[in-house]
Amino acid sequence: MSLHINNISKSFKDLKAVKHISLEVKENELFGLIGPDGAGKTTLFRILASLLLPDEGSANVAGFDVIKDYKKLRKNIGYMPGKFSLYQDLTVEENLNFFATIFDTNIEENYDLIKDIYIQIEPFKKRKAGDLSGGMKQKLALSCALIHKPKVLFLDEPTTGVDPVSRKEFWDMLKKLQKKDITIFVSTPYMDEAALCDRIAFINQGEILQVDTPSAIVKNFAKEVINIRTNSIYKSLQVLGKYQYTHSNYPFGESLHYMDSRDDFDPNEIKKHLEDEGIEDVEVQLITPEIEDIFMELSRE
Amino acid sequence: METTIKATNLTKSFGDFTAVDKLNFEVEKGEIFGFLGANGAGKTTAMKMLIGISKPSAGDAVVAGYQVSNQAELVKKNIGYMSQKFALYDDLNIKENIQFFGGIYGLDSKSIEVKYNRVVENLGLQDYAKQLVRSLPLGWKQKLAFSVALLHQPKIVFLDEPTGGVDPVTRRQFWELIYEAANQGTTIFVTTHYMDEAEYCDRISIMVEGEIKALDTPKVLKKEFGVSSLNDVFLKLAR
Ligand SMILES: Nc1ncnc2c1ncn2[C@@H]1O[C@H](COP(=O)(O)OP(=O)(O)OP(=O)(O)O)[C@@H](O)[C@H]1O
Ligand SMILES: [Mg+2]
């Protein structure tokens, strides 16, 4: 086991941020932590990176206890916090050099680890970090967290602010890092990214609700999801919001996803209802749920 | 149709690097305009010129009826803005933030009180009014920041990645607020890296290395590029 979390809890005054969490993450696993804002993800990250003491429980990362062995632990992990601290007055290259130096390494030694992402900001390596765009800073922060080839990499929402093309490249890179014996523990608000993890844990209000592979989570989801396209998604949402059998309905890009409150129903009934309410070009289709559908459902509870 | 933003050859350079290169576009009143592009394409830099906090190196823009090059103060008074990083004071509570920003926008204390009650009720934040903003989940902060950007009823509101890092549920609630404001005639100028959100815009532009490479409704763009999603349009253009 690369990560062994045993009954960890943490409170801030009267707010219980993390409640009795236990989790195991395997060697070289790409493990995703998924949950709404304020669910306790960052608190858990900080405990695992030895930056915050738990009130109870224990955790072991890459063979090191987060409390007793914190010094060794820090040498062996990489941590990219959601709100990172780059040196804004140092250049891109100086930042990276700085992080390499404190871990007794240099940029050349592990260049192939960071290449895929770093290459995109390398043309600007003489620019001050403070003058980079938001997404470029994110890429630099990731390079800095990786430059010492950690055994375990903690990434707290690493792709926030990263554009769609770079996000894809970023996840291709994570898959490559896995093959180089790096365990990755990552949180993300992007559900398409959650689907790319080996396993994911849903966390809400400090508790783990479910842990499994994305495909098993989808397979075990009990409700049917209907994809609906019409001439006006906005009006359709309003109509379905008042419909007696609606369990939930949410916009999903150019369509909307609908779940019914009955166990058994005919999707064509929904189509007819929308048409009776004056909506045109209605297409309804039963689809395989997406992780995002399941996220929405779990967050309701 | 009334034009609320009109950019003419809007340009910004830093030394010999051109971050924004001769932008020309118009945005209509009440429109939700999605301003997309890869990291470093120049979105934030362009937005800073449009809201009057950075002077164009060349070209100009008329925003809410005023020229950004020489009426920057008037531009600032007539728009709302939510930045990529900073939106509210973390170490003030909800009420103090609204009082502070209401004050900046020149509202009197009576109307600040009215607005405060409306915002808190609208967002269901009654129980959290005395909490420091720092302790609120990100998504709530962003919804609050949006309401604060609308306090002085600006004609246009500029939102720079308002939903970055926000969870799927809260992102949708945020877009409900956007729709509400747009329906009341507020023009929305928004950047996002979420392609499902790009679908919710009336029109979008896609910037590549300082230039606008595509500008139209989501439907037309998908057709033009022969693809089924905006994600694919983006992939085709951005690299
Ligand atoms: N003060 C500055 N000095 C030098 N270069 C700058 C300065 N401000 C911005 N830039 C550069 O201008 C380019 C555009 O940056 P900008 O922040 O506008 O990008 P963006 O489209 O908002 O990207 P993102 O999606 O990552 O937020 C980048 O290459 C950036 O490094
Ligand atoms: Mg930006």
Side-chain angles (χ1 to χ4, degrees):
Chain A
M1 284 300 150
S2 190
L3 227 88
H4 192 92
I5 306 171
N6 183 20
N7 198 28
I8 290 272
S9 299
K10 179 77 194 177
S11 299
F12 301 103
K13 288 185 197 147
D14 47 3
L15 176 85
K16 291 204 173 92
V18 169
K19 300 176 200 159
H20 305 289
I21 286 189
S22 295
L23 266 182
E24 310 256 292
V25 177
K26 297 177 206 129
E27 298 279 340
N28 308 342
E29 190 168 16
L30 177 47
F31 191 96
L33 187 64
I34 316 298
D37 304 331
K41 299 184 295 281
T42 298
T43 306
L44 187 59
F45 269 98
R46 300 193 61 211
I47 291 171
L48 295 175
S50 80
L51 301 174
L52 189 68
L53 286 175
D55 296 337
E56 65 175 307
S58 62
N60 190 293
V61 176
F64 304 108
D65 187 279
V66 294
I67 302 167
K68 289 189 224 95
D69 306 323
Y70 74 94
K71 280 190 181 147
K72 280 188 213 138
L73 178 134
R74 286 183 193 171
K75 285 259 169 201
N76 284 282
I77 64 159
Y79 172 46
M80 180 179 164
K83 277 197 182 142
F84 45 80
S85 40
L86 291 166
Y87 294 91
Q88 306 285 328
D89 293 334
L90 297 186
T91 66
V92 169
E93 198 175 30
E94 286 164 347
N95 265 288
L96 193 56
N97 253 322
F98 174 84
F99 282 94
T101 311
I102 54 171
F103 286 106
D104 301 319
T105 181
N106 55 57
I107 298 181
E108 292 72 42
E109 198 168 332
N110 290 320
Y111 185 77
D112 66 313
L113 275 184
I114 60 166
K115 191 178 79 194
D116 297 352
I117 283 293
Y118 185 61
I119 211 163
Q120 298 164 27
I121 47 174
E122 211 171 11
F124 312 106
K125 65 184 179 190
K126 300 283 180 228
R127 197 173 281 173
K128 288 206 173 98
D131 289 340
L132 295 178
S133 78
M136 291 160 92
K137 281 184 188 156
Q138 206 73 1
K139 290 172 189 172
L140 176 57
L142 179 71
S143 304
C144 292
L146 255 182
I147 193 63
H148 62 294
K149 193 171 196 306
K151 291 204 180 77
V152 180
L153 185 59
F154 292 105
L155 304 170
D156 193 1
E157 304 198 347
T159 53
T160 293
V162 174
D163 69 59
V165 187
S166 307
R167 269 197 321 119
K168 191 179 167 305
E169 290 163 350
F170 177 86
W171 277 80
D172 290 343
M173 187 179 99
L174 291 190
K175 296 269 179 193
K176 277 198 212 167
L177 293 176
Q178 255 191 305
K179 297 213 175 70
K180 289 180 177 160
D181 284 341
I182 297 179
T183 306
I184 301 167
F185 190 78
V186 57
S187 71
T188 176
Y190 286 97
M191 294 305 120
D192 57 342
E193 296 182 353
L196 297 174
C197 297
D198 297 329
R199 287 190 303 149
I200 51 180
F202 277 107
I203 178 172
N204 197 3
Q205 297 182 10
E207 286 172 298
I208 302 277
L209 303 180
Q210 210 177 353
V211 187
D212 217 327
T213 62
S215 55
I217 284 180
V218 167
K219 217 175 95 197
N220 297 333
F221 187 57
K223 286 203 102 49
E224 293 190 320
V225 178
I226 309 289
N227 189 68
I228 302 178
R229 285 170 172 253
T230 71
N231 67 336
S232 168
I233 291 298
Y234 188 61
K235 276 194 214 129
S236 310
L237 281 167
Q238 287 174 328
V239 168
L240 289 175
K242 295 192 205 104
Y243 183 50
Q244 59 172 326
Y245 297 119
T246 301
H247 170 74
S248 67
N249 81 115
Y250 299 110
F252 268 72
E254 57 176 353
S255 36
L256 71 84
H257 286 187
Y258 169 88
M259 292 187 216
D260 201 277
S261 57
R262 296 163 290 182
D263 288 334
D264 199 24
F265 69 100
D266 176 6
N268 283 316
E269 255 178 64
I270 323 294
K271 177 174 156 93
K272 182 159 182 310
H273 178 71
L274 284 166
E275 285 166 349
D276 289 347
E277 295 285 329
I279 311 270
E280 290 165 26
D281 309 326
V282 184
E283 291 170 40
V284 298
Q285 191 190 5
L286 185 67
I287 55 165
T288 311
E290 296 171 22
I291 296 288
E292 188 146 342
D293 291 304
I294 298 163
F295 180 99
M296 307 291 290
E297 183 61 25
L298 286 175
S299 308
R300 286 164 61 97
E301 290 160 3
Chain B
M1 267 294 166
E2 193 183 322
T3 304
T4 52
I5 304 175
K6 182 175 164 63
T8 314
N9 289 326
L10 189 67
T11 301
K12 182 83 187 186
S13 308
F14 300 103
D16 54 10
F17 176 77
T18 306
V20 173
D21 199 5
K22 302 194 201 73
L23 295 192
N24 289 289
F25 65 91
E26 290 181 19
V27 179
E28 306 286 347
K29 179 175 188 295
E31 191 171 23
I32 302 178
F33 190 86
F35 198 55
L36 314 189
N39 296 134
K43 303 179 297 295
T44 299
T45 308
M47 207 182 262
K48 281 183 179 165
M49 291 189 278
L50 293 173
I51 63 172
I53 61 172
S54 153
K55 257 199 181 310
S57 312
D60 208 341
V62 179
V63 174
Y66 303 102
Q67 236 155 356
V68 298
S69 59
N70 56 23
Q71 296 175 295
E73 288 313 311
L74 286 165
V75 171
K76 279 186 241 172
K77 282 211 180 87
N78 285 281
I79 57 112
Y81 173 52
M82 241 180 101
S83 95
Q84 206 168 344
K85 272 191 250 114
F86 170 82
L88 296 169
Y89 286 99
D90 257 4
D91 45 5
L92 298 184
N93 66 31
I94 296 178
K95 187 160 199 180
E96 289 164 341
N97 264 290
I98 290 179
Q99 284 168 336
F100 178 83
F101 284 101
I104 288 191
Y105 291 133
L107 304 182
D108 59 48
S109 53
K110 205 165 166 196
S111 50
I112 290 178
E113 188 67 27
V114 172
K115 300 251 170 177
Y116 163 74
N117 288 325
R118 199 177 301 156
V119 167
V120 165
E121 193 189 303
N122 212 353
L123 301 180
L125 289 173
Q126 292 91 336
D127 293 346
Y128 304 91
K130 293 270 146 57
Q131 266 191 34
L132 295 189
V133 162
R134 180 190 307 142
S135 65
L136 298 176
L138 174 71
W140 299 17
K141 266 192 222 177
Q142 296 304 84
K143 285 193 282 182
L144 182 63
F146 182 62
S147 308
V148 167
L150 290 174
L151 276 182
H152 56 303
Q153 290 165 305
K155 295 195 186 87
I156 312 173
V157 47
F158 290 87
L159 310 169
D160 197 359
E161 289 188 38
T163 55
V166 174
D167 73 56
V169 177
T170 319
R171 280 199 302 121
R172 287 178 171 81
Q173 294 167 349
F174 194 94
W175 273 86
E176 276 174 30
L177 296 179
I178 289 186
Y179 265 99
E180 234 171 71
N183 277 339
Q184 286 161 17
T186 313
T187 305
I188 312 281
F189 190 89
V190 59
T191 72
T192 180
H193 289 304
Y194 290 93
M195 290 304 118
D196 60 333
E197 295 184 354
E199 292 280 0
Y200 308 148
C201 299
D202 295 318
R203 286 190 306 152
I204 60 172
S205 68
I206 301 181
M207 256 182 112
V208 181
E209 293 178 6
E211 294 175 46
I212 289 183
K213 289 288 188 201
L215 193 164
D216 219 312
T217 62
K219 210 175 191 167
V220 170
L221 285 178
K222 281 181 281 184
K223 206 161 157 205
E224 199 175 294
F225 284 81
V227 293
S228 61
S229 72
L230 281 179
N231 202 47
D232 292 338
V233 174
F234 196 95
L235 292 180
K236 281 201 165 181
L237 271 177
R239 277 281 144 72

